[in-house]
Amino acid sequence: MEEFDSDRPPPATARALSRAVRGGWAGRRGAAPWGPGRRAVLRAVGGGALAAGGLAGLSACGIPAAAKTGDDTVTSEDHSKQEKSVNFSNWTEYIDVSDDNRHRPSLDAFAKRTGIKVKYTEDINDNVEFFGKIKPQLAAGQDTGRDLICVTDWLAARLIRFGWVQKLDPAHLPHAYANLAPQFRSPDWDPGRSYSYPWAGISTFIAYNIKATGGREITSVSQLLDDPELKGKVGLLSEMRDTVGMVLLDMGTDPGRVTADQYDAAIARIQKAVDRKQVRRFTGNDYIADLSKGDLAACLAWAGDVVQLQADNPDVRYVIPDSGYMTSTDNLMVPNKARHKANAEKLIDYYYEPPVAAELAAWINYVCPVDGVKPELAKIDKDAADNPLIVPDRAMAAKSHAFRSLATKEETAYEKKFASLTDG
């Protein structure tokens, strides 16, 4: 593997910041000396940016409002046997890195074992921006120059709907098929995982600073929205599916089956809290600093961030509400016309071998989608292996919920209503 240089923060700090990008900043969630975190970018870009015109602009850009299904994907000759390479596009700081920041050990090991060289590019800063990069080639039936991409579930669903990603060959994915955790096996946008496999899971729940709450535990979304003791010290996420999903669960509604009326009721409930100044602000993972300092007493948060925060601040706590919590995924997919599909599938399968999955999970601290990873992870980091935010136990997994897939018009309408809250 080629060495790489980059102006990165220390690994531990980088891991914490990287989680930020998934949700709500201009990119994932927040601002930091090294730019927006991963989670902020992942999520906010899936939300407000689309409401502001991303979805509406699809048809204007020549993209059909409703596309063909994956059965009509455009395939091409696979050059995997002749060309021992695979081009992999991923988010920044989302893979294991050596102590000197110059190597990616798991990719090095894959290349040594298989002879397949991985060109690994950290060129995904947010979903909408990345979609804009690959859209012209995919719409024209051309090679994007990428064999493997990693995108958040709502964009993965869209790519499948448009028929722009290839169906995976189960014969090349024995470990992935056997070891995918039940929690992630059959999302409504890709039943049976025909077109995608999760790279990592993203859990959303409540985090709070016990010092800022005066020693009071926070146990429900109702407290966030209604408790006068928390007025002006509550943070909600700028990612629609996470915030509205958590409110729906608190209201006894399954986000996986939400109707328009139920969605509107959740929006109205959040609006009341906003109008009363209960909510300090909607954030990406720039909530990290505010929660740690106590400027936010309680907020909705992402698991990967909380793992890192707790390592530095014992006052930061989290709770999985009795009503449940929201889960989403970042997903590996093979675009149409990829030159090295079989090689890409081998790489996907490689990361579903428990020892390899453990190495990745120990570094990124997101939810590991690989069943049976815990014993291997314990060899590397026992605390991580025992942390349900990284390896959910059965009880926690049973409380997870995913927001249902939305049709294009539905998504536009839902995001517009949510944007009226966050822009106000």
Side-chain angles (χ1 to χ4, degrees):
M1 296 296 298
E2 294 182 7
E3 294 185 348
F4 67 100
D5 291 299
S6 130
D7 211 3
R8 289 193 172 101
T13 304
R15 288 196 292 271
L17 292 173
S18 73
R19 291 184 222 325
V21 181
R22 272 197 184 325
W25 310 346
R28 263 228 176 189
R29 331 209 155 181
W34 298 275
R38 274 195 28 69
R39 198 167 299 284
V41 174
L42 268 184
R43 298 210 158 279
V45 179
L50 289 177
L55 281 171
L58 292 179
S59 296
C61 293
I63 298 174
K68 299 177 181 179
T69 65
D71 290 339
D72 300 300
T73 53
V74 180
T75 58
S76 63
E77 182 180 356
D78 192 350
H79 299 269
S80 292
K81 290 183 178 180
Q82 299 81 19
E83 300 173 5
K84 295 295 183 180
S85 64
V86 59
N87 297 323
F88 182 9
S89 283
N90 204 351
W91 297 80
T92 58
E93 304 293 353
Y94 211 23
I95 200 169
D96 53 302
V97 177
S98 61
D99 290 341
D100 63 5
N101 282 343
R102 298 178 66 84
H103 298 275
R104 300 178 178 94
S106 63
L107 290 182
D108 289 350
F110 175 78
K112 184 176 181 179
R113 181 201 296 184
T114 64
I116 298 171
K117 182 178 180 180
V118 181
K119 181 181 178 182
Y120 185 82
T121 308
E122 296 179 331
D123 63 342
I124 306 180
N125 295 309
D126 71 63
N127 285 290
V128 169
E129 178 186 281
F130 183 67
F131 182 64
K133 289 181 183 178
I134 63 176
K135 173 183 63 181
Q137 291 91 349
L138 291 173
Q142 298 172 353
D143 182 9
T144 65
R146 299 166 177 86
D147 302 305
L148 193 62
I149 60 176
C150 183
V151 295
T152 308
D153 45 17
W154 66 265
L155 181 54
R158 180 178 300 153
L159 293 173
I160 293 172
R161 193 164 68 241
F162 287 168
W164 287 353
V165 288
Q166 298 188 51
K167 184 173 284 189
L168 302 173
D169 185 349
H172 295 161
L173 298 160
H175 296 97
Y177 182 81
N179 296 334
L180 177 60
Q183 178 181 357
F184 300 104
R185 281 195 173 271
S186 196
D188 66 352
W189 49 269
D190 187 16
R193 291 288 181 180
S194 296
Y195 298 92
S196 67
Y197 270 90
W199 177 253
I202 308 160
S203 299
T204 303
F205 45 63
I206 296 170
Y208 61 99
N209 186 315
I210 193 71
K211 184 178 291 184
T213 64
R216 297 169 62 241
E217 294 185 349
I218 307 301
T219 61
S220 70
V221 171
S222 289
Q223 279 180 274
L224 297 184
L225 299 180
D226 303 325
D227 188 343
E229 296 293 325
L230 298 176
K231 184 175 181 179
K233 297 181 179 181
V234 170
L236 301 180
L237 294 170
S238 54
E239 162 60 19
M240 178 272 285
R241 289 165 180 80
D242 286 341
T243 289
V244 178
M246 290 294 288
V247 172
L248 286 167
L249 289 172
D250 189 70
M251 297 171 70
T253 298
D254 181 0
R257 299 184 178 185
V258 62
T259 65
D261 288 344
Q262 290 168 335
Y263 182 87
D264 287 347
I267 291 292
R269 188 174 181 206
I270 300 169
Q271 185 68 65
K272 288 181 181 179
V274 170
D275 291 344
R276 293 197 312 271
K277 308 297 183 183
Q278 180 80 4
V279 178
R280 184 183 184 94
R281 63 194 185 99
F282 290 80
T283 74
N285 42 346
D286 46 333
Y287 66 78
I288 292 173
D290 288 345
L291 182 62
S292 185
K293 291 186 297 184
D295 291 342
L296 286 176
C299 63
L300 296 181
W302 291 296
D305 298 333
V306 175
V307 171
Q308 295 298 321
L309 277 173
Q310 288 186 316
D312 299 324
N313 187 342
D315 292 327
V316 173
R317 312 286 173 87
Y318 77 90
V319 65
I320 305 296
D322 289 340
S323 57
Y325 68 100
M326 295 300 296
T327 298
S328 57
T329 52
D330 287 333
N331 307 277
L332 300 173
M333 311 184 86
V334 178
N336 286 352
K337 304 294 274 187
R339 287 182 63 86
H340 311 110
K341 179 175 182 283
N343 290 345
E345 290 167 334
K346 288 181 181 178
L347 186 59
I348 294 173
D349 196 61
Y350 169 73
Y351 278 101
Y352 274 80
E353 297 178 20
V356 181
E359 183 176 359
L360 179 66
W363 208 91
I364 68 173
N365 291 163
Y366 284 105
V367 178
C368 181
V370 179
D371 206 17
V373 74
K374 186 170 183 175
E376 296 295 336
L377 184 54
K379 297 175 184 177
I380 303 171
D381 186 339
K382 190 176 185 305
D383 288 341
D386 292 336
N387 192 330
L389 303 186
I390 300 174
V391 185
D393 56 26
R394 289 185 179 180
M396 182 170 174
K399 296 176 74 172
S400 70
H401 297 264
F403 208 99
R404 72 171 175 83
S405 298
L406 300 175
T408 302
K409 289 183 179 179
E410 215 176 17
E411 188 170 27
T412 302
Y414 281 23
E415 292 288 4
K416 183 176 180 180
K417 291 174 181 178
F418 184 71
S420 69
L421 298 173
T422 60
D423 295 343

